[in-house]
């Protein structure tokens, strides 16, 4: 039997229930594990989709959180990459089969039998689902732990572990760089990272938003141009102009309107994961030999590459720090697009709660 420790966490017992404090079991570190005292955890829209069972696979109780940064407090006997005191990150995965073709290529996120998500996956050691970063600590195999560049502010680095890699990976895959005009749609946690990273890669960046207040300030994030996507006139000006579009919208929206903005041979990659299907018209694709695709987070090596890239370019998220007790309000604000641009939980607020 795996030995465990009971710790404090924040999670939910049902789709309709608010998050509140609960106790969960963490395994004691095995030979290849590190135990991380969680300092900060970002709030991804996927946390909300999952807590509320919008993707129809949630196992309860559910403890979300996959943008984790913290300090290593103990290491197993065979750990060689990290030591006690190291400041590290954990993203959306804590394990994978490590043997399939995709794991061997560093694409653990597409592992054939399925990667182990940081939360809501079958736990390889315990009879519970995996529990995420809205908790005091986490125990993770060292191969799924990332190094944080020393120059980056720690709390604002947490969102890189999901929002950063989820935008970096497709921007790299579709060769975004100098000479490319790139659209970023939906300026939330993912979208605002997409602007910063695409700009640092050397592309010309056009931000598309439905929010007046973001329209006014997306240039500060690094966008060269900003489009109010609800304004048909502004959209029309970009018809056929973009090489690539990264769509990070969390809700239903008209994909065809964006496919129309691509040049011939252009691609639109969806990273946003709305609850319901998005209809695509045949002529949106065939007129212009366009591609409509998707991308999920990134592999472990690529996540480290992204963190090092952000370290070199001094890129972190724009954050609003919250206490864990504010998480239910934060979810409501997330649904309104009312966050600039990522909530990050100060995990001391959980440790200090009785
Ligand atoms: P977020 O911070 O809530 O941002 C989503 C943005 O979408 C909003 O800020 C808003 O931008 C726009 N939006 C929201 N509702 C809209 C509507 N009805 N019509 C048009 N635009 C709307 O969420 P996030 O954390 O960035 O996540 C975005 C999506 O990506 C979520 O579905 C999440 O689950 C998914 N995700 C996918 C992956 C992956 O691996 N593919 C990883 C992480 C997250 P404006 O205010 O600028 O319009
Ligand atoms: Zn996420
Ligand atoms: Zn695999």
């Amino acid at each position: 039997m795996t030995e465990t420790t009971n710790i404090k966490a924040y999670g939910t017992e049902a789709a309709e229930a608010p998050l509140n404090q609960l106790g969960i079991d963490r395994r004691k570190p095995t030979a290849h594990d590190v135990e991380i005292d969680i300092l900060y955890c970002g709030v991804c829209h996927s946390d909300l989709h999952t807590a509320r069972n919008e993707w129809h696979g949630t196992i309860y109780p559910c403890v979300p959180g996959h943008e984790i940064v913290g300090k290593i407090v103990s290491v197993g006997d065979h750990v060689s990459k990290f030591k006690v005191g190291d400041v590290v990150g954990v993203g959306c995965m804590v394990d994978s089969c490590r043997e399939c073709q995709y794991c061997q290529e560093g694409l653990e996120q597409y592992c054939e039998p399925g990667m182990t998500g940081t939360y809501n996956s079958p736990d390889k050691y315990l009879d519970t689902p995996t529990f995420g970063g809205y908790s005091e600590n986490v125990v993770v195999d060292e191969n799924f732990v990332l190094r944080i560049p020393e120059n980056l502010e720690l709390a604002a680095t947490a969102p890189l572990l999901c929002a950063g890699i989820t935008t970096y990976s497709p921007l790299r895959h579709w060769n975004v760089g100098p000479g490319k005009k790139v659209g970023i749609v939906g300026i939330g946690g993912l979208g605002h990272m997409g602007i910063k990273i695409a700009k640092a890669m050397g592309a010309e960046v056009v931000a598309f938003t439905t929010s007046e207040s973001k329209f006014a300030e997306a240039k500060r994030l690094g966008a060269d141009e900003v489009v109010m996507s609800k304004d048909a006139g502004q959209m029309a000006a970009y018809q056929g102009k973009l090489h690539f579009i990264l769509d990070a919208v969390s809700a239903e929206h008209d994909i065809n309107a964006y496919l129309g903005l691509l040049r011939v041979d252009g691609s639109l990659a969806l990273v946003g994961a709305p609850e319901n299907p998005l209809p695509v018209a045949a002529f949106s694709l065939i007129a212009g030999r366009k591609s409509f695709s998707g991308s999920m987070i990134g592999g472990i090596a690529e996540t480290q590459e992204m963190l090092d890239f952000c370290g070199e370019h001094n890129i972190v998220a724009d954050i609003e720090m919250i206490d864990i007790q504010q998480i239910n309000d934060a979810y409501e604000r997330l649904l309104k697009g009312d966050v600039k641009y990522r909530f990050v939980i100060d995990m001391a607020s959980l440790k200090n709660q009785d």
Side-chain angles (χ1 to χ4, degrees):
M1 241 202 32
T2 312
E3 271 194 280
T4 60
T5 316
N6 196 260
I7 62 155
K8 286 191 272 188
Y10 235 72
T12 180
E13 308 275 358
E16 311 74 32
L19 277 69
N20 54 29
Q21 193 179 318
L22 39 87
I24 57 166
D25 287 335
R26 289 281 188 217
R27 71 175 179 274
K28 294 206 163 137
T30 67
H32 296 279
D33 287 331
V34 302
E35 181 185 5
I36 302 164
D37 175 48
I38 302 178
L39 297 171
Y40 302 103
C41 184
V43 178
C44 179
H45 206 115
S46 302
D47 299 353
L48 187 162
H49 289 303
T50 307
R52 299 189 177 178
N53 199 22
E54 291 175 4
W55 295 332
H56 313 288
T58 305
I59 320 159
Y60 294 97
C62 170
V63 174
H66 58 204
E67 293 183 337
I68 299 169
V69 292
K71 206 172 248 188
I72 295 186
V73 289
S74 74
V75 299
D77 289 345
H78 293 157
V79 168
S80 59
K81 298 178 180 163
F82 298 98
K83 59 180 190 317
V84 170
D86 285 353
V87 174
V88 294
V90 176
C92 304
M93 295 181 286
V94 289
D95 213 335
S96 70
C97 87
R98 309 184 198 197
E99 285 169 359
C100 75
Q101 174 193 343
Y102 301 114
C103 284
Q104 304 226 337
E105 287 174 13
L107 295 169
E108 299 91 349
Q109 74 273 34
Y110 306 124
C111 173
E112 270 175 345
M115 55 97 162
T116 305
T118 302
Y119 59 81
N120 200 47
S121 276
D123 194 300
K124 282 193 181 171
Y125 300 81
L126 305 172
D127 271 346
T128 57
T130 52
F131 294 124
Y134 298 4
S135 57
E136 293 180 280
N137 65 43
V138 65
V139 175
V140 183
D141 185 290
E142 65 168 337
N143 293 305
F144 287 76
V145 175
L146 289 310
R147 289 182 188 284
I148 307 289
E150 278 174 18
N151 59 314
L152 298 181
E153 203 241 305
L154 196 55
T157 300
L160 303 185
L161 275 307
C162 175
I165 184 59
T166 301
T167 50
Y168 181 92
S169 183
L171 290 168
R172 272 271 179 267
H173 182 77
W174 276 277
N175 298 315
V176 163
K180 296 281 175 67
K181 196 159 180 160
V182 172
I184 308 285
V185 184
I187 312 307
L190 265 56
H192 97 290
M193 289 310 308
I195 294 176
K196 292 183 187 209
I197 292 172
K199 188 66 193 166
M201 288 174 172
E204 198 180 332
V205 180
V206 186
F208 293 85
T209 183
T210 61
S211 304
E212 287 291 343
S213 66
K214 298 177 189 172
F215 181 79
E217 61 167 47
K219 286 193 178 165
R220 180 183 59 75
L221 297 172
D224 296 288
E225 294 156 46
V226 190
V227 176
M228 171 48 70
S229 53
K230 293 186 285 194
D231 180 332
Q234 289 190 33
M235 290 289 279
Y238 286 86
Q239 281 292 316
K241 296 280 193 296
L242 302 174
H243 293 92
F244 179 69
I245 297 175
L246 187 69
D247 181 334
V249 175
S250 54
E252 277 62 69
H253 61 293
D254 183 9
I255 283 289
N256 302 288
Y258 291 100
L259 290 169
L261 308 188
L262 291 171
R263 296 164 56 95
V264 171
D265 284 334
S267 297
L268 184 152
L270 193 63
V271 288
E275 181 177 3
N276 296 314
L278 300 169
V280 175
F283 282 94
S284 297
L285 295 171
I286 63 183
R289 197 165 54 187
K290 294 169 184 175
S291 302
F292 178 42
S293 51
S295 180
M296 192 169 77
I297 53 172
I300 293 298
E302 194 176 38
T303 304
Q304 190 63 60
E305 178 188 306
M306 175 279 306
L307 284 166
D308 296 343
F309 176 91
C310 288
E312 276 162 39
H313 294 268
N314 250 305
I315 295 174
V316 289
D318 285 31
I319 65 165
E320 179 178 336
M321 192 91 84
I322 60 167
D323 287 342
I324 191 75
Q325 295 79 7
Q326 294 168 275
I327 190 68
N328 293 301
D329 290 339
Y331 278 11
E332 291 312 310
R333 286 182 53 198
L334 204 54
L335 284 175
K336 292 187 226 149
D338 175 25
V339 50
K340 294 212 171 69
Y341 284 86
R342 195 58 134 189
F343 292 116
V344 171
I345 307 163
D346 180 352
M347 215 45 74
S349 59
L350 176 63
K351 291 170 191 149
N352 296 338
Q353 179 169 309
D354 291 333

